[in-house]
Amino acid sequence: MCRASALWLMRRAMAAGELEILPCRSGPRRARFPQITDERCIRAMQLVLPDGRILEGADAVPELLRRIPRWRWAASLLALPGVRAVARRGYAWVAANRMRIACAVAERQDLEQR
């Protein structure tokens, strides 16, 4: 699931040179961002902004969307009252169940291809 999300982001944001994605357990990520522990990185995506601030999980989503030309409008939705709290709960649920979700999606795709 994380790989699919990263590929989605790469196709959209990296074309504009707006984003670099580093695997959580990679040497370059550990060397460049030692302040982000492996545990923290595995728990949720980490977005390091140009000014050095780090946004984590659902809090990173609006900032990522701002960097994707056709998805900038969606970032404003997350600024609506109450939406960020719901997004945090949703992100936490998906993160906790990502392996089960990824397996279910892969199984469904496999069935559709038969």
Side-chain angles (χ1 to χ4, degrees), residues 23-79:
C24 199
R25 293 185 174 137
S26 72
R29 195 278 306 160
R30 289 178 176 132
R32 288 178 52 200
F33 306 106
Q35 70 276 31
I36 301 173
T37 64
D38 284 358
E39 177 185 289
R40 203 172 141 192
C41 190
I42 291 166
R43 182 180 61 237
M45 76 169 138
Q46 307 292 311
L47 176 63
V48 181
L49 298 173
D51 66 5
R53 288 181 298 135
I54 300 170
L55 300 177
E56 183 174 291
D59 293 334
V61 173
E63 202 60 44
L64 284 169
L65 292 172
R66 282 187 195 96
R67 288 166 164 67
I68 302 172
R70 292 188 177 171
W71 286 86
R72 289 183 182 128
W73 63 270
S76 61
L77 293 178
L78 290 166

Side-chain angles (χ1 to χ4, degrees), residues 3-23:
R3 178 173 287 163
S5 299
L7 289 171
W8 187 89
L9 284 168
M10 287 170 59
R11 283 193 300 270
R12 286 155 182 85
M14 291 183 72
E18 289 287 331
L19 188 65
E20 175 186 15
I21 296 174
L22 298 173

